[in-house]
Amino acid sequence: MKKKPGSCVQCGKCLEVCPLFKATGREELAPRSKFFLQSLDDEEGLSEKDFNALASLCLSCGRCAENCPQNMSGADFVSGLRSDSGGFLRSCWNLWLKSPGLMWPLASALSHLSSSRMPGAFGSARRKMDALFADSPEPWAALDVEKKFEGRKAVLFPGCVARYSRKDWTQKAEKFMNDLGFDILDYSGFTCCGSSMGSAGLLDVQNRARINNIRFWKDSGMPVLVTICATCLKGLADYSPDDFESDADYENWQNSLKPLSALLIGSAVKYGENAPEKVVYHHPCHAPENDSDELLVQQIAGERLSPVRKDLCCGFGGVMQLGAPELSRTVGRHCLNELLGDGSEKPQILSGCSACVIQLASLTDKDIFAGHWLDILN
C-alpha cells in the first residue's frame, strides 16, 4: 500500500535527484525549497504570484518522490498548484493535448515560417516540430518474431505522438503484434493516457480521459493493452481503483498492460550492413525499474550499447515547454552532454518514451540520430 506523504524535513535528499537542480545549481527550483516556501506565513515568504510562478517550475519527473523519506512528491504538489491557479499556459496546454490532429500539423506548418537557427523560443519550437514529424531513418535490425499469442485479442495504445505525428511507429507496432499472433482490435476510441494532463494540473480533463479509456477497453472485451511509450505505460498503470466499477476490473486492467518490448524480448535478431558502431539508451524518468525497452535494446545492440545511466532526465517537462522552455532545454542539454561523453563518437540515441525522443531529437546535431527503438527495426 502506498504510504501517505509526511512533512518536509529539509533533508535535501531531493537535491540528489532533481534534474532542474543538477542542471542549473539553483536550489530554489528543487522540491525542498518549494515545500519550505509553502510553509512560511504570507509576511515571511514570497507574494502569492511569485510563489506560484516559482513553484510551478517542475519537470514532473517523479524522481524526488522516489528519493524522499517522507514520501513527498514535488510533481503532485505542482500539479495541485497548477490546478488551483489555472492560467493562460494551462489553457494552451489543454488545447494542445485536446486537438492534436488539428493543432500539431498546424503548429508544424507555422513553425516552418521561422528558422531553426533563431534564438530562444522560436528556434526551439521549430526544432521541436521538426522532431515531432521527423522521417524514420534506414532500419538496421530485424526481429524473427515467434507467434506466441495466436488468437488472443489485443489493442494498441499508441500514445499521442505515435497516433498523430509518428504514425510509422503505430504501423510497426501493429505489424509486430500481428507477427506475435494477436487478433488486433481497433484503437480509435482511446484518448490521451492523461499523464501530461495531470502534471499540468488539468485534473478534470485527466479524469475524463481515464473514464473514456477504461470504458473503451471494457467495451472492446478487456483485451491485452499493448503500449509503446514508457510515459503512457506509467500513465495507464497509475489509474486508481476508484476509476473502475469493481476491484476485479482494476486488477484485469493492470494485468492487461503489456509493453510491446517485453513481448518481443527473445526474438532472433538479424543485422543490416548499416548497423552503427555505438548505441546509447536513454532511460526515461517514467520507465519502470525493470525497463523492458532497455532490455530489448540491449538484446538488439549487444556490444554496441554503452553502459546505461538511469540518473538523467531529458527535461521535456510537459507544460514547461510553454512556461519555461529555456529551463527545459538546459536540462535536456545537460542530459545529452552526459549521454554523448566527450563527443568523439556519434552514436545513435534510442529511448522508449515519445516525449524523450522528441526532446533529445530537437537538441542533437544533424549527424546524431535520436529516436524510438522502433525506428531501427524493419
Side-chain angles (χ1 to χ4, degrees), residues 132-144:
L132 190 59
F133 289 93
D135 294 326
S136 292
E138 184 70 26
W140 53 266
L143 299 180
D144 185 8

Side-chain angles (χ1 to χ4, degrees), residues 358-372:
I358 301 306
Q359 174 79 337
L360 294 175
S362 72
L363 296 171
T364 55
D365 296 330
K366 289 186 177 181
D367 57 348
I368 298 178
F369 170 74
H372 196 284

Side-chain angles (χ1 to χ4, degrees), residues 96 100-114 125-126 128-130 132-133:
W96 179 254
L102 172 65
M103 292 295 299
W104 294 11
L106 177 61
S108 178
L110 291 175
S111 73
H112 282 76
L113 298 176
S114 65
R126 167 67 186 271
K128 283 289 191 303
M129 290 301 102
D130 287 345
L132 190 59
F133 289 93

